[in-house]
Amino acid sequence: MGENRERLEALRERCLQCRECALGQTRKNVVFGVGNPEAEILFVGEGPGANEDEQGEPFVGKAGKLLDDMLAIIGLDRTMVYITNIVKCRPPQNRDPLNVEQDACIGYLRQQTQILQPKILVCLGRIAAMRLMNPKFRITKEHGQFYDLGTMRAMALYHPSALLRDPSKRPESFDDLKSLQAEINRICDHTRAELRGIKL
Ligand code: URA
């Protein structure tokens, strides 16, 4: 087993026991994250919904299907990237995760990031962008723009759920995906064949 895979697995084991905030009392499953332990691209959403809570996997509902389509537009699939959320347990009624819940959980994402050392961070929606890039982040103005964040290049896409609610945003999101593809081609090393060879 590769070193990243082992370290992620050890972190997942700890995360599954977590009771650091109240979401730990209502969750069915911890949704730690999935993907390629050698991924150079990290996607971060806000938190699990009902389907994710049932299955213990991020983005498995309608929004997840759209995320798969978005990845496919730029020649990627789930086995080539890593996908997780700001909070690992479902907020009741799908409300936004509270700051206190994000604070309790953010250490897991920090450690995931330390292990993966991604080159590109993609925030899915406003909550992730505000937490990871800038508390004043305005998704309607700043989606698709790249920023330097430590050693990473970071950008935000509209959340797939926002694109389901408001399909008029889809053309802009398509342009954002094309910018993401260009940045991936510019700075990522792994060939797609290589990443496919590193099985989930
Ligand atoms: N929305 C998110 O932000 N994350 C998921 O995992 C599912 C829906």
Side-chain angles (χ1 to χ4, degrees):
M1 204 155 53
E3 192 183 328
N4 285 5
R5 187 187 294 265
E6 277 176 17
R7 292 176 67 199
L8 285 169
E9 190 46 40
L11 182 61
R12 195 176 82 89
E13 291 297 325
R14 272 199 283 127
C15 190
L16 296 187
Q17 310 299 323
C18 184
R19 301 275 169 200
E20 288 295 317
C21 81
L23 299 182
Q25 283 151 32
T26 50
R27 72 174 179 232
K28 290 189 179 143
N29 283 293
V30 173
V31 180
F32 177 69
V34 289
N36 197 310
E38 305 298 331
E40 293 179 314
I41 312 161
L42 173 62
F43 287 81
V44 182
E46 77 183 59
N51 295 299
E52 291 75 21
D53 185 40
E54 286 288 341
Q55 296 183 41
E57 252 200 54
F59 288 97
V60 289
K62 269 194 196 153
K65 173 76 186 67
L66 182 54
L67 178 59
D68 286 340
D69 293 345
M70 291 161 75
L71 292 174
I73 286 171
I74 53 173
L76 298 176
D77 63 39
R78 277 179 191 240
T79 71
M80 298 156 78
V81 301
Y82 197 89
I83 304 172
T84 188
N85 284 303
I86 296 285
V87 296
K88 310 309 195 209
C89 296
R90 183 190 180 201
Q93 280 89 46
N94 297 342
R95 61 160 169 73
D96 292 348
L98 305 175
N99 278 336
V100 60
E101 294 158 354
Q102 296 185 32
D103 291 346
C105 209
I106 200 74
Y108 292 112
L109 178 59
R110 277 205 197 100
Q111 291 180 70
Q112 287 171 310
T113 309
Q114 266 166 17
I115 294 167
L116 291 163
Q117 302 270 337
K119 295 202 168 140
I120 298 183
L121 169 71
V122 182
C123 299
L124 295 169
R126 176 179 69 87
I127 298 283
M130 287 171 67
R131 181 73 208 204
L132 301 178
M133 291 203 278
N134 173 0
K136 297 203 165 81
F137 194 90
R138 297 288 309 270
I139 190 82
T140 47
K141 291 206 178 113
E142 295 176 86
H143 65 90
Q145 293 179 25
F146 275 91
Y147 299 87
D148 289 317
L149 191 68
T151 58
M152 299 182 291
R153 298 282 288 158
M155 61 108 68
L157 294 173
Y158 279 121
H159 194 288
S161 302
L163 297 174
L164 288 171
R165 276 195 306 272
D166 181 2
S168 74
K169 291 190 168 78
R170 287 191 188 202
E172 287 172 85
S173 216
F174 183 82
D175 292 343
D176 295 347
L177 285 166
K178 289 291 162 184
S179 311
L180 173 58
Q181 185 172 38
E183 197 66 6
I184 292 169
N185 289 338
R186 195 173 73 80
I187 65 174
C188 289
D189 297 328
H190 286 322
T191 64
R192 283 155 197 210
E194 255 175 13
L195 280 172
R196 285 221 174 84
I198 303 166
K199 285 274 176 320
L200 285 174

